[in-house]
Amino acid sequence: QVQLQESGPGLVKPSQTLSLTCTVSGGSINSDGFYWSWIRQHPGKGLEWIGYIHSSGTTYYSPSLKSRVTISLDTSKNHFSLKLNSVTAADTAVYYCAATIPATGMDFDYWGQGTLVTVSA
Amino acid sequence: DIQLTQSPSTLSASVGDRVTITCRASQSISSWLAWYQQKPGKAPKLLIYQASSLESGVPSRFSGSGSGTEFTLTISSLQPDDFATYYCQQYNTYYTFGQGTKLEVK
């Protein structure tokens, strides 16, 4: 059973870079062809997919965020990371990491518990 | 972008009721649709994938159907644990989610 846990600062200043890490347990991040995604949820709102990285290292980002997002893998630490630059108050949200097992379709099979990031001076 | 529209936005029901939530896509997504349940302060939980396949461990009172542009999630007999918000999600062209349906106690 794959388990995911987000970590990172809960407060980021406007114009700075939001950086989060998702630590994976119960499986290797660079095996099995999994896709590792970041998803966010603005307070009281719906869900927005940010992007994914495949276990091979291939990335794919949401067109609306592509210019500001970088997702990377660290196989030595079995985690993947999100960087979102030039943040504004509109980036305040709960950020989730999630895993996709391609054999059952490109849905999100496993989720982290989520971490709230507030953008404020 | 593929837009997903859920209806209703809020649904009031009682334990034992049969309820149906609809998700309409702005263009055909074949059967590339999933349903999630989310409770306050928690991450979404996968219920249904590929429109009609029940995720392991999910009670059989949940079922999904549809293809193309119209999909439904049905709960055959509501249980107290089912009051939550439900989201559909497409993965035909990257990923988008519906706006959510809040299932509340009548």
Side-chain angles (χ1 to χ4, degrees):
Chain A
Q1 176 90 358
V2 173
Q3 294 184 315
L4 304 102
Q5 177 68 59
E6 304 90 349
S7 59
L11 181 64
V12 181
K13 289 181 167 47
S15 79
Q16 294 192 342
T17 297
L18 179 159
S19 297
L20 295 174
T21 294
C22 181
T23 301
V24 178
S25 57
S28 173
I29 200 164
N30 64 350
S31 68
D32 298 332
F34 280 29
Y35 293 79
W36 308 99
S37 282
W38 286 97
I39 296 158
R40 69 182 182 180
Q41 187 168 33
H42 294 102
K45 302 295 185 183
L47 297 155
E48 179 184 21
W49 175 72
I50 298 169
Y52 71 57
I53 187 163
H54 185 253
S55 55
S56 65
T58 300
T59 55
Y60 190 28
Y61 302 133
S62 168
S64 64
L65 295 168
K66 184 177 181 180
S67 63
R68 298 196 290 132
V69 173
T70 303
I71 298 176
S72 59
L73 282 177
D74 186 332
T75 57
S76 66
K77 296 180 180 177
N78 216 43
H79 73 211
F80 64 106
S81 299
L82 168 70
K83 290 190 185 300
L84 179 66
N85 59 36
S86 305
V87 297
T88 69
D91 295 308
T92 293
V94 174
Y95 286 76
Y96 295 101
C97 56
T100 295
I101 307 172
T104 60
M106 295 297 287
D107 45 75
F108 303 110
D109 299 273
Y110 302 105
W111 295 68
Q113 65 185 27
T115 188
L116 174 63
V117 179
T118 301
V119 178
S120 175
Chain B
D1 291 10
I2 297 177
Q3 311 297 324
L4 296 179
T5 303
Q6 290 182 230
S7 58
S9 294
T10 305
L11 179 55
S12 299
S14 302
V15 172
D17 285 353
R18 178 184 179 91
V19 299
T20 297
I21 299 169
T22 297
C23 178
R24 289 187 173 87
S26 58
Q27 63 189 73
S28 177
I29 56 171
S30 185
S31 295
W32 303 123
L33 188 102
W35 290 95
Y36 301 84
Q37 176 193 68
Q38 187 178 33
K39 295 182 178 179
K42 301 293 187 182
K45 172 188 173 183
L46 179 64
L47 301 174
I48 302 286
Y49 62 93
Q50 289 182 21
S52 60
S53 296
L54 190 68
E55 174 70 352
S56 175
V58 173
S60 59
R61 62 181 180 273
F62 290 92
S63 64
S65 66
S67 66
T69 61
E70 186 151 337
F71 303 84
T72 58
L73 172 70
T74 299
I75 309 172
S76 60
S77 178
L78 264 180
Q79 299 302 301
D81 191 49
D82 299 339
F83 293 98
T85 300
Y86 292 84
Y87 292 94
C88 58
Q89 175 237 328
Q90 67 83 20
Y91 43 94
N92 183 75
T93 304
Y94 62 94
Y95 306 97
T96 51
F97 292 87
Q99 83 279 15
T101 294
K102 183 177 181 180
L103 179 53
E104 62 179 24
V105 178
K106 189 173 184 178

